[in-house]
Amino acid sequence: MYTTELGKVSPLQDGAQEDPERLAAFETRVAADEFVEPKDWMPQAYRRTLVRQISQHAHSEIVGMLPEGNWLTRAPSLQRKAILLAKIQDEGGHGLYLYCAAETLGTSREEMIDALHSGRAKYSTIFNYPTLNWADIGAIGWLVDGAAIMNQVPLQRTSYGPYARAMVRICKEESFHQRQGYDLLLALAKGTAAQKAMSQDALNRWWWPALMMFGPPDEDSPNSAQSIRWRIKRETNDQLRQKFVDATVPQAELLGLTIPDPDLNWNEQRGHYDFGAIEWDEFYAVVRGEGPTAKERITARRDAWANGAWVREAAAAFEAKRAARVAA
Amino acid sequence: MYDWPLWEVFIRARGGLDHRHAGSVHAPDAHMALRHARDTYTRRLEGVSIWVVRSSDIVASDPAQDYSMFEPAASKIYRHPTFYVLPEAVDHM
Amino acid sequence: MEYSLFRALTQLGDDSLILGQRLCEWCGHGPTIEVDLGLSNLALDLIGQATMLLDYAGELEGGGRDADALAFHRNAEQFANCLLAEQPNGDFARTVVRHLLFATYASALYEALTASPDARLAEIAAKAVKELRYHADFAADWAERLGDGTEESRARMAEALDWHWRFVNDLFHDDRDWAACAARGLVPLRQSLRYGFERDVSAILERAGLALPRKVWPIVGGRSGQHSEHLSVLLATMQVLPRAHPEAVW
Ligand SMILES: [Fe+2]
Ligand SMILES: [Fe+2]
Ligand SMILES: [Fe+2]
């Protein structure tokens, strides 16, 4: 899962209109780590929060195909090309699993895609950054998929059954994504000066956006508590971010790369790395669609969907004719 | 813009196992639903056989009726082998 | 060196490579996610075939070139793929027709190659033929649905068929190297597969409410490095990194 803090509904307000008895029973079930399934009763706000979160996650997977796709036709070896294609294809699959999970909540994929294309629905800000050199493909796998995995692993136990099951499948597939990215960077680390420079340049550009993937700091994330209580979220943004930094710093060292943060330091007392302040203004600008490639990304998705309309209609018309022949 | 109907996908992971629900796909017809299921859910040799069924054709029990659907079975504990306490000498039965 | 077999293998490998590269361009832009994933599977098969075929070609050549060296460090005129494979994707109808023609041809060809006395080639063919049969079915399914779908889709299919049919002669061209291999019984003559191809394609088109074009275009050249304008542009993209960093390992 990527950032979930976008375009919030206000669940607390809605809660007031629900039947308090049913709501209490629901909260008890969820607190006991029971799963909620599509036909079960659920509070409206829970349903809407989930549709928003799952569909944003799905949109992120689909839009996320584009920055990596940008280098697919230029992958420098046949094996890297095959790996990258398989990886991007997985992301498409993830989008598909997630749309299907969201559809069990009564919202059609068409509606969700419409919301994305009209700008009503958001996707992860990370994909509005450009991929400028080949090492960006490594950095995305290592950092972006790495951060995503950290977000996603706890969601395998999220309270909504179809979402949890989609996440189990996704996490199983994600494990190769981060490794292939790191493997790509390892090859560059052993390579020429130009290759090493590519890697450092990529890390410089992807480090901070990757940290922002965990969402705003906990104190600015007012609905987090509700989401955690509902088991839609299982750890706070700051907890996950810290975990990510702690895991990633030694990996950067092994690659011989410098993390672009002068304030990064091991804190013996906390047993964690301290790191510098994140520029949240940039984050919110990118959320607002002001990222350098936001327009390209959404236009590419709109075009793909619009250019595919005649294909979808044709196949449906073919089936309608066949069904009519059978009926006759 | 128009999208295809939804199909549920069931996959047999290998011979001897039941088909299990894997997820769903959108497809214009049954044949393409099988193709899409193959391309979506068996990219890592996850299956040897696929079933697809229109999601709208599935009839599901109503969770609000859970107590009358499933609870009656809860009291029939004599259906379970552990209900019977047998002498140790024959307890492997 | 087995020069003619080396050339024949690059013809096969380049077909897979260049068509696979074209299909990569669809990634993220398909008509639906499901179709996007399907096209990626086709591309993955083709890239895998190209790797096996070009590695083998490089070994036969004995000059230390592997599949990557052949893929990324040859110029357009050294590529031996058919003209059809390098044609731009166009709309989905053109991609489907290109794939229908190619995979129908290639599945019959690889079927025959499974019996090649060259054991390595036969082994590669045994893997490839299963993949290419799936490709041919995939394309036939789509040809049928688009041909007999809406007015618009039928018109697009007719246009696409007309667009690509020019390259069928080239697809079946037996150049000198291929003919030499055929004379040694290593590969079948492509011409020997043409009747079956036209029979199969026209049966599919008939189901789709489309007809096999009558006109025979005399265009050939891909096998001997005489390509269309599109190939060098494709290669400029595909080869940019290894060409810019010739000493680098990726
Ligand atoms: Fe992802
Ligand atoms: Fe993913
Ligand atoms: Fe991923």
Side-chain angles (χ1 to χ4, degrees), chain C residues 214-231:
Chain C
R214 298 257 164 150
K215 186 171 158 94
V216 178
W217 294 72
I219 303 170
V220 289
R223 303 305 179 194
S224 55
Q226 311 276 310
H227 291 280
S228 60
E229 290 176 349
H230 305 295
L231 183 65

Side-chain angles (χ1 to χ4, degrees), chain C residues 124-145:
Chain C
I124 296 171
K127 181 172 190 307
V129 71
K130 290 183 205 133
E131 297 169 343
L132 288 161
R133 272 194 211 120
Y134 187 84
H135 290 215
D137 285 348
F138 176 99
D141 281 345
W142 273 111
E144 207 180 334
R145 278 157 184 75

Side-chain angles (χ1 to χ4, degrees), chain A residues 2 61 87 90-91 94 145 148 152 173-174 177-178:
Chain A
Y2 305 91
E61 300 282 359
K87 194 269 188 192
D90 274 356
E91 305 300 5
H94 298 173
D145 287 90
Q152 286 168 349
E173 300 185 351
E174 283 292 344
H177 296 181
Q178 190 181 20

